[in-house]
Amino acid sequence: MKPNSGTLVINIMNGGKAEAYEGVYQCTARNERGAAISNNIVIRPSRSPLWTKEKLEPNQVREGDSLVLHCRPPVGLPPPIIFWMDNAFQRLPQSERVSQGLNGDLYFSNVQPEDTREDYICYARFNHTQTIQQKQPISVKVFSMDSLNDTIAANLSDTDIYGAKPVTERQPVLLTPTGSTSTKVELRGNVLLLECIAAGLPTPVIRWIKEGGELPANRTFFENFKKTLKIIDVSEADSGNYKCIARNILGSAHHVISVTVKAAPYWITAPRNLVLSPGEDGTLICRANGNPKPSISWLANGVPIAIAPEDPSRKVDGDTIIFSRVQERSSAVYQCNASNEYGYLLANAFVNVLAEPPRILTPANKLYQVIADSPALLDCAYFGSPKPEIEWFKGVKGSILRGNEYVFHDNGTLEIPVAQKDSTGTYTCVARNELGKIQNEVQLEVKDPTMIIKQPEYKVIQRYGQVSFECIIKHDSTLAPTVIWLKDNDELPDDERFLVGKDNLTIMNVTDKDDGTYTCIVNTTLDSVSASAVLTVVARPNPPFDLELTGQLERSVELSWIPGDENNSPITNFVIEYEDGLHESGVWHYQTEVPGTQTTVQLKLSPYVNYSFRVIAVNEIGRSQPSEPSEQYLTKSANPDENPSNVQGIGSEPDNLVITWESLKGFQSNGPGLQYKVSWRQKDVDDEWTSVIVANVSKYIVSGTPTFVPYEIKVQALNDLGYAPEPSEVIGHSGEDLPMVAPGNVQVHVINSTLAKVHWDPVPLKTVRGHLQGYKVYYWKVQSLSRRSRRHIEKKILTFRGNKTFGMLPGLEPYSSYKLNVRVVNGKGEGPASPDKVFRTPEGVPSSPSFLKITNPTLDSLTLEWGSPTHPNGVLTSYVLKFQPINNTHELGPLVEIRIPANESSLILKNLNYSTRYKFYFNAQTSVGSGSQITEEAVTIMDEAMASRQVDIATQGWFIGLMCAVALLILILLIVCFIRRNKGGKYPVKEKEDAHADPEIQPMKEDDGTFGEYRLFSFVSSAPF
């Protein structure tokens, strides 16, 4: 025995025989309280005996007959594993026809010629001794038919041989088990194996049923080509009759196996240790079941209870021992033995009689931490005899805990099924019995749960892009969370492209292998939460492959292909392109396209083209690379199917006709030797067609034609095999020449001072000598009637398309003299001009005076000087001056109007109020009306001394510097004003400008109190610096 242990070691490595230790062993453990014993332990040495020598006769069997090759391995311990092999140590193939039985024999339902061999060898493997024993080889020879049948078969016709049956078919016969019925006993919990192997030709098929019931689901398996029925973990309910049925086309055979399930003893209630205090009562219960019913016997300290020392407190009642008013001397170890013919059970139970005050085993002030809304389990492990009563309190002076919100477990544990934040605190456990009491305090802290408030979301990203998953968390401030990212429930790849941030995961330069599910896991010491999102990596599809041409005809072929990987984005369509290796090698042209669900297409072909095709897949991301080209297919030559397009006849000179067309492309020629037959004749003249055949060009010039006459033209394609269909005719014209005559009867109607309308008669079409494109009107200003001064003449041109005979002349200057002429235009150019036509525009209103300047301010007078309008637009009749005072409250005074002769350029206004601001409005007039006005403001002085001082101050350097500073400040304010106006704000200056724009339409009173700011601007802007 090992020191300080109950383990017994038997070592035969250094000598000795295993047989010497064969037997039944049992361990007994004993102290002053009693003795416990173990189950019986049986030791038997393993054995792997040799095969007995035997003489094996060759097996000669007729084709179609059944055969059994017996193995009969030596009896070993444990039993050997059987398998059949040949001389080359290759397992012999097995099938429905040939299979190994549970006893190791090899069964042939019917033999075939290929079963002939001399090396059927049965092997027995003894795993415990790691040895393999081999039986002598068995020889099998299969005869197909005798020599007589060979001779007869050689003389029969083919039909007779086809109808003959050289092998006799047989209905099934069971090889094992024999007879119609058999029995089988199996123990509860074991594996039930039932076997049926049948002979017959054709090979029978085996089927299993249970009479009066169903085969147990989930525990039934079929092995060895359904010849073996396997039911695992059998119970008494599996007892019954099981029928195997072997069937072929000639009939069937069956066998019924009556299965009885017996049971070694198994526990219903095993005896449990019992702790009692002196004077208490108790019971030991030992209940077991089995088939047959096991017998129960009791032992005390390893001795049958009938001969054990008497104990007046003990009474045996079958499977129960009853204890009444026990004393400390009643302590003992009792054994219960439940036995039947298939085994036994043995259990030890310690009856301990002792008197102990309560003890609490849970450490004092133990801290428990839980998450809100989850259960809290507060331990109070205790010991005592008699068994103590447990009570729980909350807080130092709290009342006893009761109610449905708490669960009190037998082991003393207090459970709070749904802990809340207010559950935090100190809890006291009190254990008491008749010998005393003890208490212990524990602490409970309830934490806020960890939550993912921003979970990662499903992402679709293109290959080589960048993607980011968010995982923003909220947690209890006293807990330190850790965030882990997983890909497909595994660690992230060790790749620098994966960047894990505080609350996100970023993947740079995404590739296809990054596709998958990404999970954010947040762990604290108390809880764990997670959230997942799928990343789908999309890309352009891979190119199609395996292009194949089938069904080749002269004008069509079928193309098929296999799509490449769509890379997570469905293919929407396929584009088919072709290359003409005969005419344009290396150049690919669009042929057609088909939906993404289609992988074949019928293509229309042209003659005399050496086709190659390729396919491009398209999805939402883009186009794939082209596939590898298909094989080449050269179509036969044929006449051209079509003629040149865009045939035109346009002369380049007055005496020629240039015929042009768009040549056929290489594949449109349909054959070698492409040429064109060009034909023409003058329209509306009874002439024959003139034709010429030219090489593969796109132009032909006909010389000596009349000027601009219509021609009928046609161009026909031909090649070495013949002509294309008859072409359609087009109308062309020989070359144009300049028009011969000018438009006549030119008339001008002046509408107003800036607009006139011109009319003319159309020229005869014959004189146009070309395609009429329209008329051009040349017009120019000769002089202004108000100034009588000449200037450089600038001619303007207006073009009127088509056969139009009038037009409008806009943008004229008032009170001016103009000339114009009209010319006809064709494709060659302009014809002669019509005689110049003179017309005049009437007067208009003048522009504003060129300037208004106010000088020489005195106490009661101001001097006004002005310049005449830049554009008088007529004869000036007078000037109109209007003015009005502006007081300190920004109110406008009475308006005064003065008319001034047109030849004046200055005016002194007298009898004005001193130190008063005036606003002036000034404009010029013609007989048509008033022109636009110009405004200005000025102030009369307070006295002569101030005027003198003003002159003196204005020359001082400090005053000039002050004014510059004021001007800079005003500039800044104007910039701020402009910015506010652009942002939608309303600035007071604009309102004051509107208020003072025109005294005739503005009210006489202005209530806006911000006008003083505007006056300051106006004054400073007009002051001389």
Side-chain angles (χ1 to χ4, degrees), residues 582-583 608 636-638 640 669-675 718-722:
L582 196 61
H583 302 98
Y608 195 54
K636 294 181 180 180
S637 301
S669 65
N670 286 5
L674 178 63
Q675 293 178 303
L718 67 151
N719 61 19
D720 291 350
L721 279 78

Side-chain angles (χ1 to χ4, degrees), residues 980-995:
R980 288 187 60 191
R981 285 292 304 275
N982 285 347
K983 290 184 177 179
K986 187 174 181 182
Y987 199 74
V989 173
K990 171 62 178 175
E991 297 178 4
K992 297 300 150 304
E993 289 174 346
D994 295 341

